[in-house]
């Protein structure tokens, strides 16, 4: 299958700092990348969808000024959590869709566990 | 808005028994229905999927059925094993991707 990496895998930061998470498709071109957030014992909640070279589409209730998404190339998307607060602590997972696999098939990254103190 | 309902939230079975998880979706534009298995702290792993032009698909001990008219799809695991214990998510994908709330499956040895 296709490989998607995420970096970092775990980050602990102080309240008020910004954190950048990278999502890379290693062996295929990802025309679309998705960012999800998963709280403990809950489902994956789609935060935003980003298409290479265009602005991300945010889901209702997700603040675009707080969660900055950049999809600058066909292999890289970044999510920046600005001025992070303890309630932003969560498991953030990206997925990518592109020229690999079947239509609509998404390949997930390993996730980033963010802890804001 | 669009949503996916998944039942049950928790399922406990004896090793060797079958497990069935059901999902209902609301978005008529959904045409791809994957099922994921997620172990604690790890990424979701695709275990089987079905497209809207197919009614049933089987892969060894795992099968998925789809009733597009009723907007229902189900996951069937036969001969369950302890290593099947995990959280299972259904999803309905079309223009949007909506995940079910998840089912925590316990397989008792």
């Amino acid at each position: 299958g296709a490989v998607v990496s995420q970096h970092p895998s775990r980050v602990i930061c102080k309240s008020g700092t910004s954190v950048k998470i990278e999502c890379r498709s290693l062996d295929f071109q990802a025309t679309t990348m998705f960012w999800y957030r998963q709280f403990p014992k809950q489902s994956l909640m789609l935060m935003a969808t980003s298409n290479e070279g265009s602005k991300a589409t945010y889901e209702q209730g997700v603040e675009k000024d707080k969660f900055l998404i950049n999809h600058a190339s066909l292999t890289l998307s970044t999510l920046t959590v600005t001025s992070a607060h303890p309630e932003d602590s969560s498991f953030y997972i990206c997925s990518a869709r592109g020229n690999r696999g079947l239509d609509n098939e998404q390949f997930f990254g390993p996730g980033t566990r963010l802890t804001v103190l | 808005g669009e949503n996916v309902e998944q039942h049950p939230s928790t399922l406990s079975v004896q090793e060797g028994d079958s497990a069935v998880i059901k999902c209902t979706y609301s978005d008529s534009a959904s045409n791809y229905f994957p099922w994921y298995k997620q172990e604690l702290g790890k990424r979701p792993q695709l275990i089987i999927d079905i497209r809207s032009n197919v009614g049933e698909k089987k892969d060894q001990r795992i099968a998925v059925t789809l009733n597009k008219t009723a907007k229902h799809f189900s996951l069937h695991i036969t001969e369950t094993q302890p290593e099947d214990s995990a959280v299972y998510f259904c999803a309905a994908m079309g223009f949007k991707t909506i995940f079910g709330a998840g089912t925590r499956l316990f397989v008792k040895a």
Side-chain angles (χ1 to χ4, degrees):
Chain A
V3 181
V4 175
S5 70
Q6 239 178 285
H7 179 81
S9 58
R10 185 182 295 268
V11 59
I12 301 172
C13 68
K14 292 183 179 179
S15 187
T17 59
S18 293
V19 175
K20 180 186 279 190
I21 302 170
E22 291 186 349
C23 179
R24 293 181 186 271
S25 56
L26 299 185
D27 56 356
F28 70 104
Q29 293 181 330
T31 49
T32 306
M33 284 188 172
F34 305 88
W35 286 96
Y36 296 88
R37 180 167 51 185
Q38 186 176 32
F39 291 109
K41 297 186 178 181
Q42 293 189 23
S43 187
L44 285 81
M45 298 301 296
L46 181 65
M47 299 175 67
T49 302
S50 74
N51 292 296
E52 185 266 337
S54 61
K55 289 184 179 180
T57 302
Y58 289 80
E59 295 299 303
Q60 195 170 12
V62 178
E63 299 174 58
K64 61 181 180 181
D65 293 331
K66 180 168 181 63
F67 299 99
L68 302 177
I69 291 171
N70 184 284
H71 192 164
S73 76
L74 284 171
T75 59
L76 173 65
S77 176
T78 60
L79 167 68
T80 302
V81 183
T82 61
S83 187
H85 291 285
E87 57 266 29
D88 297 323
S89 299
S90 186
F91 193 47
Y92 291 86
I93 307 177
C94 70
S95 71
R97 185 173 74 194
N99 64 349
R100 180 66 64 91
L102 302 174
D103 290 346
N104 284 2
E105 189 170 2
Q106 297 181 23
F107 300 94
F108 284 90
T112 297
R113 186 162 301 283
L114 171 64
T115 303
V116 185
L117 303 176
Chain B
E2 300 89 354
N3 74 308
V4 173
E5 293 188 4
Q6 184 172 344
H7 299 281
S9 57
T10 305
L11 180 58
S12 184
V13 300
Q14 203 66 38
E15 181 179 4
D17 288 350
S18 294
V20 180
I21 303 171
K22 298 182 178 181
C23 287
T24 304
Y25 63 99
S26 61
D27 186 2
S28 300
S30 299
N31 58 6
Y32 174 60
F33 307 91
W35 284 88
Y36 296 92
K37 176 183 180 182
Q38 188 179 31
E39 297 176 355
L40 190 63
K42 297 188 177 179
R43 80 185 87 188
Q45 297 278 1
L46 178 69
I47 55 171
I48 197 167
D49 55 13
I50 192 167
R51 297 192 175 275
S52 58
N53 57 349
V54 176
E56 186 174 355
K57 183 177 177 180
K58 190 174 181 181
D59 182 4
Q60 299 183 358
R61 297 187 296 111
I62 298 173
V64 59
T65 58
L66 170 67
N67 181 330
K68 201 156 188 269
T69 303
K71 296 185 183 148
H72 290 168
F73 57 115
S74 301
L75 176 71
H76 303 252
I77 306 174
T78 58
E79 300 172 37
T80 53
Q81 302 166 2
E83 49 267 37
D84 293 331
S85 297
V87 179
Y88 292 81
F89 293 100
C90 64
M93 297 186 180
F95 182 69
K96 281 195 166 189
T97 298
I98 309 291
F99 279 80
T103 296
R104 191 169 297 275
L105 175 64
F106 297 95
V107 180
K108 295 176 286 187

